[in-house]
Amino acid sequence: MNPRRKKRLAMVASILIGISAVFGLVLYALSQNIDLFFTPSEITQGKKETGLKPIFGQRLRIGGLVVPGTVKRDPENLKVSFKLSDMTMPIVFKDSDITVTVYYEGILPDLFREGQGIVANGTLVDHPLTGLSIEASEVLAKHDENYMPAELAEAAGKKHEKATYTDKQLQSKSTNGY
C-alpha cells in the first residue's frame, strides 16, 4: 500500500471510530432518561416476558386504577397518597389485589378520582409504612373523551367529586417552589 492510501485509510478509520464513540455516548445518555412503564403487579412480580423488576431509585411510569377509599389528603398542604391496582375487566376491587401506594405533592388533575385510570411518573422507593411505593413527580388522569360503556359506568361509578383546596394548601405549594 502506498503512503497516500494508508493516510486515507487511517482517516476513514478514525472518522468511523469517532462517529461510533459519539453514537455510543448518545445512546448511554438517552438510556438514563428512559421512563419504563410498569403496572402494580409488574413492580412486585416483574414483567411477564422478561421477569424484569424495577430497582429502588429507578425512574418509572406506573399505570393503574385508583383503588376506592385509599385517597388520603393532608389538610395542611397538597400532599396526597393513594393506591393503584391493575386494570382488569370487569372493574372489581378486592382486598387480594396487588396494590402500590403512590405519594404525590401537588394539585391533581380534574379527571382524577377513585376508580379512574391514571399514569404517574416518579421513582420507586421503599416506604417504611407501605413497602414498595412511588414518589410521584407527575400524575396524569386518563382522558376517555367522556365515553364509557354502560357496564363500566355502573362498575366504576359515575360520581366525580372535584377536589377542593384551601388557601393554606395553595399557599404552601407556591412557597415550596413547585
Side-chain angles (χ1 to χ4, degrees):
M1 239 192 259
N2 63 21
R4 191 172 181 174
R5 279 192 172 177
K6 284 183 182 178
K7 200 174 202 180
R8 283 184 190 166
L9 184 61
M11 188 176 294
V12 168
S14 63
I15 289 173
L16 288 176
I17 290 172
I19 289 174
S20 60
V22 168
F23 185 70
L25 289 172
V26 166
L27 285 179
Y28 177 74
L30 290 176
S31 71
Q32 300 299 316
N33 294 325
I34 293 175
D35 291 331
L36 297 175
F37 182 82
F38 289 92
T39 62
S41 63
E42 289 174 342
I43 286 179
T44 58
Q45 300 170 350
K47 296 240 181 218
K48 290 179 185 173
E49 308 83 35
T50 61
L52 175 72
K53 285 185 180 181
I55 57 174
F56 293 119
Q58 179 179 344
R59 288 181 42 194
L60 54 86
R61 276 183 185 199
I62 183 170
L65 294 174
V66 179
V67 178
T70 63
V71 178
K72 293 180 178 62
R73 298 176 193 271
D74 188 343
E76 300 296 319
N77 51 38
L78 295 175
K79 292 181 181 177
V80 63
S81 68
F82 53 90
K83 290 187 179 187
L84 288 181
S85 70
D86 287 345
M87 290 191 190
T88 57
M89 297 308 261
I91 299 175
V92 178
F93 297 99
K94 297 177 271 190
D95 290 338
S96 62
D97 289 344
I98 295 172
T99 60
V100 173
T101 305
V102 177
Y103 294 94
Y104 177 67
E105 183 174 355
I107 297 175
L108 292 167
D110 287 338
L111 293 175
F112 180 89
R113 64 180 181 264
E114 294 178 349
Q116 176 74 25
I118 65 113
V119 174
N121 295 329
T123 56
L124 181 67
V125 294
D126 188 15
H127 196 272
L129 299 175
T130 57
L132 285 178
S133 59
I134 306 295
E135 289 284 340
S137 57
E138 182 179 26
V139 173
L140 306 168
K142 290 191 174 184
H143 190 272
D144 59 357
E145 295 297 329
N146 299 325
Y147 170 75
M148 185 178 285
E151 301 85 27
L152 290 179
E154 289 174 15
K158 217 40 178 151
K159 292 184 252 174
H160 173 62
E161 297 176 17
K162 189 171 181 179
T164 56
Y165 300 100
T166 64
D167 290 335
K168 187 174 182 179
Q169 288 175 320
L170 294 173
Q171 184 64 27
S172 168
K173 182 65 174 172
S174 65
T175 58
N176 289 339
Y178 292 163

